[in-house]
Amino acid sequence: MDCIFCKIASGEIPTTVVYEDDKVIAFNDTDPQAPVHVLIIPKEHIASMAEINESNSAVVAHIFEVAALIAREKGLDNGFRVVSNCGESAGQSVHHLHFHLMGGRDFGWPAG
Ligand code: AMP
Ligand code: ZN
């Protein structure tokens, strides 16, 4: 499968690793929308939030633990935002589940 985030997860495509363990990898977004903009992904290929089910949801819980850890490490004490764009309307451009962890500025709501 020609998936850019699978290639990042396997090390085939180099990236700026922020965090990594056997289940997930977190790396800097190449087109940052905030001073801190990290993508956290499962190493397993899951296409989007729409594909989450009982058999693969544990990694999502783990991703949120990692998000809190990275936010602490990056000193995002004022707050941060975690977003997963799912499907066409939300503007998902990479079809491998990923969570944007953004911080270091104020955010509007509702988002775009
Ligand atoms: P989305 O549009 O929500 O699917 O998010 C995809 C994100 O992946 C965008 O913010 C891109 O800037 C980012 N992105 C695409 N290719 C890479 C890459 N090779 N390394 C890091 N981030 C990437
Ligand atoms: Zn993939």
Side-chain angles (χ1 to χ4, degrees):
M1 193 191 319
D2 198 28
C3 171
I4 190 169
F5 284 1
C6 280
K7 288 179 179 167
I8 286 176
S10 70
E12 193 182 327
I13 293 179
T15 190
T16 320
V17 178
V18 173
Y19 174 92
E20 182 171 14
D21 62 28
D22 56 329
K23 296 185 192 67
V24 308
I25 184 167
F27 49 94
N28 287 323
D29 197 299
T30 46
D31 183 20
Q33 303 301 311
V36 173
H37 188 167
V38 174
L39 299 176
I40 312 169
I41 71 169
K43 288 189 168 175
E44 169 194 6
H45 182 87
I46 301 170
S48 76
M49 278 295 295
E51 307 296 317
I52 300 298
N53 56 47
E54 270 182 46
S55 73
N56 61 17
S57 59
V59 74
V60 179
H62 184 52
I63 282 171
F64 276 78
E65 291 169 16
V66 170
L69 179 78
I70 295 171
R72 279 194 295 276
E73 280 180 353
K74 298 275 185 187
L76 302 179
D77 304 327
N78 259 356
F80 55 90
R81 180 169 288 178
V82 177
V83 172
S84 186
N85 295 316
C86 178
E88 201 178 332
S89 299
Q92 183 179 3
S93 62
V94 177
H95 296 277
H96 178 129
L97 180 64
H98 53 281
F99 292 84
H100 299 256
L101 167 62
M102 294 178 289
R105 67 169 172 86
D106 293 336
F107 297 97
W109 188 260

